[in-house]
Amino acid sequence: MVIKKGILNKLYVVAVLMMLFFIVIVFRVFKLQYVEGDKYRQLSLEKTVKNDTIFANRGNVYAADGNLLATSMSKFTIRMDVLAVNSEVFEKNIRALSESLSGLLGKSTNYYQQKLREAKKRKNRYLLIARNVGYNDYVKMKNFPIFKLGVYRGGFIAEHKTVRVHPIGKIAERTIGYDNHRGGAGIEGAFAEYMQGENGWRLKQRIAKGQWKPINDVNEKEPIDGSDVITTIDVNIQDITHHALLRQLERFEADHGCAVVMEVETGEIKAISNLGRTSKGKYYEKRNYAVWESHEPGSTFKLASLMVALEDKVADTSDVVDCEKGKIFINNRKVEDSKRGGYGKISLARVFEVSSNVGIVKTIQKYYDKNPNKFTDKIKSFGLDQLTGVKIMGEGKPYIPNPSEKSWHPISLEWMAWGYGVSLTPLQTLAFYNAVANDGKLVKPFFVKELRVGGKVEKSFTTEVLKDKIASQTTLDKVRKVMENVVKKGTASNVYSPNFSMAGKTGTAKKYIPKHKDENGETIYGHYSNKKYVASFAGFFPAKKPKYSCIVVVHSPKKEKGYYGATVAAPVFKEIAQKIYTSNPIDNQLVSDKIEYASLDKNYQNYYRKLRKYKTIMPKVLGMSGMDAIALLENMGLNVKFSGMGKVTEQSINNGVKVKKGATVYLKLS
């Protein structure tokens, strides 16, 4: 009995323990399923299924005439889930699929058959077929045998990405800009919030080796494409401006330069070129010098100095100024004219026309030396101390000295008179000159006219007036006349043409070299260089009823070849004006001008005919993959024929040449 009772006790304990164990198991199951079930189900789902972003197409950038300046090209990576294909379908169509792939991608039919069969044996659900496939080829592949059955039955997997391209090549590249890992620059950076659109998404499932494939062949949420940007840029004027500047930079072996053309009445920027020199002597759009680079303008600032004296009625253009023998000293600092022996006694108008440093300095010193604030305040009233507010990041700050500043020096006033000690960007200087051409109305320069979504205008940008009248009409009429005479009989007479009118002012300034250490480690204190200069010309055309204003600035031309504004910058201005007149005559002025300068286009006579006939510029496609080049050119309306495969090694029409829609382009690929 005692033994049986002990056995029963043990059985009872075992039964109790089993019951407790069972209760624990039931509790754990209940907890996992009902209390923590959602948590673990979510963890499981996250490891096997995820939301994959489908990036929206970025908006395009267009010129004012509709030419494409920047666009996003679709690129696809094509893969195949071989297990998704029924064995019978696979065997029946593998030959046809391999032939189609061979015809498009170039490798042999047997290569693709072997690759697909090997993948079938290895149960590969993510077989790579091709990378960087263009949109047109993607559409073709989508309709290949087997692939046309879709994701579930045909195993067709297409992963999409976009890349940014500029169809007109490097022209205006810095102004068109970018918005990527490098930051936001130019138009692309300034209007990024409008252009980027809204991303979509779709579900992807994890498969072998950490790879993911789409669950559906449709998107869970469709992406919304970004807005298109319609710029003020005129492709033909841009082309003229770019090549005119480039030729002159190459001729004078300059460090860098810029040229801007603006429509007088509206402030629309029709062309902007910024070119910097590489170590190999080539030029490309390094920085947006016109917007960013603030520097001492030199003699182009004399226009502001003259206008101050005229506005205050302390002087008139007919007043006689004694320029002496072309050299004076102010506080032991020399002011000297470029003409040896000086100009003697001449009118104030002539002082401006021949750009006498002595004459303008003596005039400003005479009337403002005891009250420099009056001079600087009037300069600021012209808007020269303000940013233009152009919608491109990185605008350089203007600087107009103030007599109350500690840095104000006894010679500061006189140095300002001829453009030293002040700092302006080329675009800020141009805005001021444009106001003179625009009967005193200071308008804000701008690059973008419209934002469009699906062809419909979403937002418009119109002319913004910053100041209704910067000076009296009397002053404006007088300075416009002397600016016209600068070209007719002054420092820029070398670019004068009796067949079309121009008005402007030359500028030549020594470059200031800041304090630095030389190659031997010795300290070189700040000084004005006798070897490096800034040559410039700012003005407008026609002289009577101006349509366009323009500025050309060239930094550090090779001194031995020339460094004056009249020699280096003014011919670029003339070439731009002359060709714009030719392509779009203004006020019926004749333009049968004899071409006298080496910087002008040797094929100038052909240019006119081409400009009238063609509307599109051929981009450079050399080095691009054949698929991308074909897609790009076909989107431009060109008929593309090609031979070979791989990258483009030859194109029958050179980049920069005007072509019309429907023209045939032959490409050689290898």
Side-chain angles (χ1 to χ4, degrees):
M1 287 293 293
V2 175
I3 294 174
K4 287 183 178 181
K5 189 174 181 180
I7 293 172
L8 288 173
N9 287 337
K10 287 181 180 179
L11 290 172
Y12 176 76
V13 171
V14 170
V16 170
L17 290 173
M18 289 181 66
M19 181 63 71
L20 290 173
F21 182 68
F22 179 74
I23 292 171
V24 169
I25 291 174
V26 171
F27 175 75
R28 290 292 295 162
V29 170
F30 177 82
K31 184 178 180 182
L32 285 171
Q33 184 146 354
Y34 296 101
V35 178
E36 298 179 342
D38 290 341
K39 172 185 173 183
Y40 288 105
R41 275 190 290 272
Q42 183 62 32
L43 287 173
S44 175
L45 192 62
E46 287 175 357
K47 289 186 177 182
T48 57
V49 178
K50 72 174 181 179
N51 280 332
D52 188 53
T53 301
I54 304 172
F55 293 97
N57 286 325
R58 189 176 181 84
N60 294 330
V61 180
Y62 292 93
D65 58 2
N67 272 288
L68 193 59
L69 301 180
T71 187
S72 295
M73 288 187 63
S74 292
K75 298 283 189 179
F76 295 86
T77 297
I78 306 300
R79 297 181 181 272
M80 184 179 183
D81 179 357
V82 184
L83 289 186
V85 185
N86 178 276
S87 296
E88 185 177 342
V89 172
F90 183 83
E91 290 299 330
K92 185 177 180 180
N93 295 281
I94 185 174
R95 176 76 185 179
L97 174 58
S98 299
E99 288 175 349
S100 297
L101 291 173
S102 175
L104 183 66
L105 303 178
K107 294 185 178 179
S108 68
T109 300
N110 287 337
Y111 168 83
Y112 288 106
Q113 277 200 95
Q114 184 177 350
K115 182 174 183 175
L116 294 172
R117 289 192 184 281
E118 186 67 26
K120 189 78 169 174
K121 288 179 183 178
R122 295 185 178 181
K123 299 181 180 181
N124 193 331
R125 308 200 67 179
Y126 207 56
L127 175 66
L128 176 64
I129 301 296
R131 297 185 190 275
N132 294 320
V133 174
Y135 178 76
N136 288 347
D137 288 338
Y138 155 73
V139 172
K140 291 177 184 177
M141 294 179 75
K142 198 174 181 181
N143 291 293
F144 280 178
I146 300 180
F147 285 171
K148 64 184 178 181
L149 299 176
V151 174
Y152 291 125
R153 295 188 298 129
F156 183 72
I157 301 171
E159 297 173 339
H160 176 249
K161 69 176 181 179
T162 57
V163 295
R164 206 70 176 159
V165 295
H166 292 178
I168 64 170
K170 299 294 183 182
I171 294 177
E173 182 179 38
R174 192 71 187 185
T175 299
I176 295 169
Y178 51 79
D179 179 44
N180 52 29
H181 63 279
R182 296 173 290 175
I187 291 169
E188 293 254 21
F191 292 87
E193 62 177 302
Y194 298 100
M195 298 179 68
Q196 61 193 9
E198 187 178 332
N199 295 333
W201 59 271
R202 68 177 172 183
L203 290 175
K204 277 192 171 183
Q205 186 176 36
R206 185 174 183 140
I207 56 177
K209 297 181 180 180
Q211 297 171 332
W212 299 81
K213 76 165 190 174
I215 293 177
N216 300 311
D217 58 358
V218 294
N219 301 328
E220 303 293 339
K221 180 187 175 184
E222 291 287 343
I224 300 173
D225 291 343
S227 301
D228 292 333
V229 173
I230 314 302
T231 71
T232 60
I233 300 294
D234 182 297
V235 170
N236 288 326
I237 296 178
Q238 178 67 47
D239 190 45
I240 291 167
T241 303
H242 173 87
H243 288 100
L245 177 66
L246 176 61
R247 277 189 288 273
Q248 202 73 336
L249 293 177
E250 290 176 337
R251 180 185 175 190
F252 287 90
E253 299 180 41
D255 181 73
H256 66 275
C258 66
V260 187
V261 179
M262 184 159 76
E263 193 171 70
V264 169
E265 186 176 355
T266 64
E268 292 185 9
I269 301 297
K270 309 312 292 184
I272 178 169
S273 183
N274 298 278
L275 296 171
R277 184 184 173 117
T278 68
S279 58
K280 295 181 179 179
K282 301 295 182 180
Y283 291 89
Y284 75 105
E285 295 246 346
K286 259 173 143 178
R287 301 199 68 164
N288 198 328
Y289 301 112
V291 173
W292 161 75
E293 188 170 32
S294 188
H295 63 92
E296 290 176 310
S299 293
T300 54
F301 194 78
K302 289 175 182 174
L303 175 61
S305 298
L306 176 62
M307 285 176 61
V308 170
L310 295 179
E311 273 294 276
D312 286 342
K313 295 183 173 56
V314 297
D316 197 5
T317 52
S318 59
D319 291 353
V320 175
V321 182
D322 187 0
C323 300
E324 303 180 30
K325 294 183 179 181
K327 186 187 297 185
I328 61 173
F329 288 87
I330 300 175
N331 288 304
N332 297 318
R333 299 290 294 274
K334 182 171 66 175
V335 179
E336 189 174 16
D337 285 336
S338 59
K339 181 184 177 183
R340 186 170 296 179
Y343 295 99
K345 294 181 180 181
I346 56 176
S347 69
L348 183 55
R350 192 62 183 158
V351 164
F352 186 85
E353 291 163 9
V354 299
S355 198
S356 169
N357 300 325
V358 172
I360 197 71
V361 167
K362 287 185 70 174
T363 299
I364 298 306
Q365 182 187 46
K366 178 179 179 180
Y367 298 111
Y368 297 97
D369 194 47
K370 292 187 179 353
N371 189 5
N373 277 304
K374 189 176 181 182
F375 180 80
T376 57
D377 287 348
K378 186 65 74 172
I379 290 288
K380 291 175 182 178
S381 75
F382 299 152
L384 285 167
D385 65 329
Q386 300 295 317
L387 294 169
T388 65
V390 65
K391 285 186 178 293
I392 286 183
M393 290 180 281
E395 181 180 4
K397 291 183 179 180
Y399 173 67
I400 304 296
N402 193 318
S404 63
E405 295 174 347
K406 289 183 179 180
S407 59
W408 185 265
H409 192 272
I411 63 168
S412 291
L413 173 69
E414 289 78 7
W415 253 240
M416 283 180 68
W418 57 314
Y420 286 96
V422 298
S423 186
L424 297 168
T425 68
L427 192 60
Q428 289 157 3
T429 299
L430 178 60
F432 169 60
Y433 271 72
N434 191 81
V436 172
N438 199 21
D439 288 327
K441 187 182 292 184
L442 180 64
V443 295
K444 178 179 178 179
F446 68 106
F447 292 88
V448 173
K449 296 171 70 172
E450 292 176 348
L451 299 176
R452 294 180 187 172
V453 178
K456 294 182 179 180
V457 177
E458 179 186 30
K459 189 169 184 171
S460 295
F461 300 90
T462 55
T463 302
E464 185 177 337
V465 179
L466 301 177
K467 200 175 184 68
D468 288 322
K469 200 83 170 173
I470 66 168
S472 67
Q473 195 61 46
T474 301
T475 294
L476 294 168
D477 290 342
K478 288 179 179 179
V479 297
R480 282 170 60 165
K481 181 61 178 176
V482 295
M483 289 173 72
E484 187 176 1
N485 285 336
V486 167
V487 178
K488 283 184 175 181
K489 55 181 181 177
T491 53
S493 60
N494 60 312
V495 297
Y496 170 70
S497 167
N499 298 312
F500 62 95
S501 62
M502 301 174 288
K505 181 70 186 75
T506 56
T508 307
K510 290 184 176 182
K511 292 200 75 167
Y512 183 77
I513 310 300
K515 179 180 176 181
H516 66 284
K517 291 187 181 297
D518 65 12
E519 56 187 15
N520 298 319
E522 299 216 5
T523 299
I524 306 296
Y525 291 96
H527 64 284
Y528 284 97
S529 173
N530 288 318
K531 295 181 178 180
K532 295 183 181 294
Y533 292 81
V534 180
S536 59
F537 188 91
F540 45 83
F541 55 92
K544 300 300 181 188
K545 294 181 180 178
K547 172 69 174 174
Y548 298 107
S549 59
C550 176
I551 188 167
V552 179
V553 181
V554 176
H555 283 256
S556 302
K558 196 169 185 178
K559 187 178 178 182
E560 295 79 9
K561 293 190 172 186
Y563 59 90
Y564 286 108
T567 307
V568 180
V572 179
F573 182 97
K574 180 185 179 179
E575 181 176 352
I576 292 168
Q578 183 174 349
K579 289 188 175 180
I580 290 176
Y581 270 114
T582 304
S583 61
N584 184 23
I586 304 168
D587 292 342
N588 297 316
Q589 295 194 42
L590 298 175
V591 288
S592 58
D593 194 34
K594 181 181 177 182
I595 300 170
E596 300 175 348
Y597 301 97
S599 62
L600 297 181
D601 191 351
K602 293 180 182 179
N603 298 316
Y604 177 69
Q605 296 302 324
N606 291 330
Y607 184 88
Y608 174 66
R609 293 193 295 271
K610 292 179 180 179
L611 199 60
R612 287 298 179 106
K613 185 176 180 182
Y614 299 118
K615 301 295 183 183
T616 306
I617 292 179
M618 179 70 184
K620 181 180 179 180
V621 295
L622 296 177
M624 291 177 63
S625 71
M627 293 178 285
D628 291 343
I630 293 166
L632 174 61
L633 297 177
E634 287 181 346
N635 285 336
M636 292 172 61
L638 302 177
N639 180 27
V640 184
K641 294 187 178 181
F642 65 96
S643 62
M645 60 182 182
K647 292 186 177 181
V648 180
T649 56
E650 293 181 20
Q651 60 184 86
S652 62
I653 302 176
N654 293 331
N655 64 296
V657 174
K658 308 295 186 303
V659 291
K660 60 182 179 180
K661 290 185 178 180
T664 299
V665 182
Y666 295 90
L667 304 179
K668 184 176 180 181
L669 315 179
S670 64

